[in-house]
Amino acid sequence: KDMPKKVTLYSLPPTWGLPTFHPNFLKAYAYCKLAAIDFQNVQTSPSSMADPNFETPVADVSGKIVNGADEIVETLRNDVTDIDQPLQEKQRAQVFAFSSMIEDCLLPAMLHEWYMSDDNWFNVTRPLYTESATFPATVILPWQVKGRMKNKLSVHEDVEALYKRADACYSALSSFLGDQMFFFGSTPTSLDAVVFGHLAPQLYAPMVEARLKKQLRKYQNLCGFVDRIRKGYMSMPRIPPPDPAELEAADAANANPKSAKSQLSTQEKAVRRRTRDFIALGVVVTVAFLLFTNVIDVETADEIQGE
């Protein structure tokens, strides 16, 4: 009899009542849970994302190192437990089609809302990368991460089109799910892991500008699906659903940016000033270091030539 596979998943820390905040990490984590795989979850620091190659989860499957959520799920399906095994060929094609649609239509909108909105970036997203980091990573890491996300979004310049595609994706998922417990009936598949991995952060992240959350909440069966997965498989404390009044206030603020800025508390304004000052200080120190190093090199070269 084959020995059971030892699975270790390296993921980013938990937050907002979720095992991890990043959709790619959460997708791999959710598959392990939905497939009832006995695995060890090792939390890594967000500082590890300073490495451009570490934007996706990493797993150790009995000594085999696997990078990337899709690659991890594929390895787990082939070597450990395949929860898609009961699916017919047409259903497997639907898994692929919906997963691709989420990556192409939903993820870009989420990246824009999380990383390109100043209110969301400074108040919610940026602290995810800096809370456990030390200087100079607290200055360098957010700059690196945001730069990479901006490059990914360079082909998606029309913001309204981003949100329109995201809403179309929600609508298609909602229609396909219907009143079923999971997307293919009473048992979970890899599609359920993909959908949960992307929808859960959008539903529970406390974004200041929460346009995606408002769109998602129109589809109650999708919200119920996310909540069922959380309560039934994630072993995490329940988070109350977002207050509709808070969403309306956020919409009003988004419609009137000047009013939103005026509503910032004194503490929030102070935090933003300190953030800008700290970044400026980091830039000055870096430039001074480079200039000082260059001066030393020039002086050393002159001394050598004089000799």
Side-chain angles (χ1 to χ4, degrees):
K1 184 178 181 180
D2 293 338
M3 294 291 292
K5 298 286 186 178
K6 181 179 180 181
V7 178
T8 303
L9 181 66
Y10 298 88
S11 61
L12 296 173
T15 188
W16 312 324
L18 296 172
T20 182
F21 72 87
H22 197 289
N24 285 336
F25 290 76
L26 191 55
K27 178 166 58 175
Y29 186 100
Y31 184 90
C32 290
K33 284 291 189 178
L34 293 174
I37 294 173
D38 184 13
F39 73 105
Q40 180 183 10
N41 183 51
V42 178
Q43 295 178 17
T44 60
S45 169
S47 297
S48 57
M49 293 190 76
D51 180 356
N53 296 319
F54 195 83
E55 290 186 8
T56 54
V58 177
D60 182 337
V61 182
S62 293
K64 179 182 179 181
I65 304 301
V66 187
N67 296 276
D70 293 336
E71 291 76 8
I72 291 173
V73 170
E74 185 66 19
T75 299
L76 294 175
R77 289 178 58 232
N78 292 332
D79 300 345
V80 186
T81 302
D82 183 8
I83 56 175
D84 290 348
Q85 193 276 331
L87 298 181
Q88 299 176 357
E89 185 176 348
K90 179 181 178 180
Q91 293 173 317
R92 290 176 181 268
Q94 290 173 322
V95 170
F96 177 80
F98 275 107
S99 299
S100 299
M101 180 183 66
I102 290 171
E103 293 289 336
D104 294 339
C105 300
L106 195 55
L107 183 59
M110 193 212 78
L111 294 179
H112 180 275
E113 188 166 275
W114 284 30
Y115 295 91
M116 298 300 109
S117 162
D118 285 342
D119 283 334
N120 290 340
W121 170 250
F122 284 105
N123 290 288
V124 183
T125 314
R126 188 179 186 277
L128 293 172
Y129 297 98
T130 59
E131 285 177 350
S132 60
T134 57
F135 184 84
T138 49
V139 175
I140 297 174
L141 178 60
W143 175 73
Q144 288 179 319
V145 171
K146 187 169 184 178
R148 292 202 295 267
M149 299 304 174
K150 187 175 182 180
N151 290 336
K152 288 183 177 182
L153 291 167
S154 60
V155 296
H156 300 286
E157 298 179 357
D158 189 340
V159 176
E160 290 304 314
L162 283 178
Y163 285 104
K164 185 176 180 179
R165 285 195 294 270
D167 191 63
C169 184
Y170 290 142
S171 178
L173 289 170
S174 176
S175 297
F176 190 71
L177 176 63
D179 58 359
Q180 301 178 107
M181 179 172 292
F182 301 104
F183 279 90
F184 289 98
S186 59
T187 56
T189 65
S190 62
L191 179 59
D192 298 285
V194 173
V195 175
F196 178 83
H198 284 83
L199 298 195
Q202 294 169 23
L203 185 61
Y204 294 111
M207 293 297 163
V208 179
E209 297 181 12
R211 187 169 173 179
L212 281 179
K213 182 183 294 186
K214 182 182 178 183
Q215 288 180 326
L216 175 56
R217 283 179 58 81
K218 293 190 304 181
Y219 305 97
Q220 287 300 306
N221 63 335
L222 293 180
C223 296
F225 165 83
V226 172
D227 197 46
R228 285 196 302 274
I229 299 291
R230 285 190 67 259
K231 291 190 294 185
Y233 294 88
M234 296 297 118
S235 302
M236 302 294 292
R238 184 179 186 278
I239 297 178
D243 186 348
E246 293 180 359
L247 293 178
E248 292 179 3
D251 291 339
N254 294 339
N256 189 354
K258 293 183 179 180
S259 174
K261 291 183 178 179
S262 65
Q263 292 174 5
L264 291 175
S265 67
T266 303
Q267 182 180 6
E268 289 172 328
K269 292 178 180 178
V271 169
R272 288 196 174 189
R273 283 196 299 269
R274 286 198 299 270
T275 299
R276 287 193 293 266
D277 293 343
F278 193 62
I279 293 175
L281 175 61
V283 172
V284 171
V285 169
T286 302
V287 172
F289 174 78
L290 294 174
L291 290 175
F292 180 72
T293 303
N294 187 52
V295 168
I296 292 177
D297 290 341
V298 171
E299 290 179 350
T300 302
D302 290 341
E303 290 175 3
I304 293 174
Q305 291 176 0
E307 293 177 358

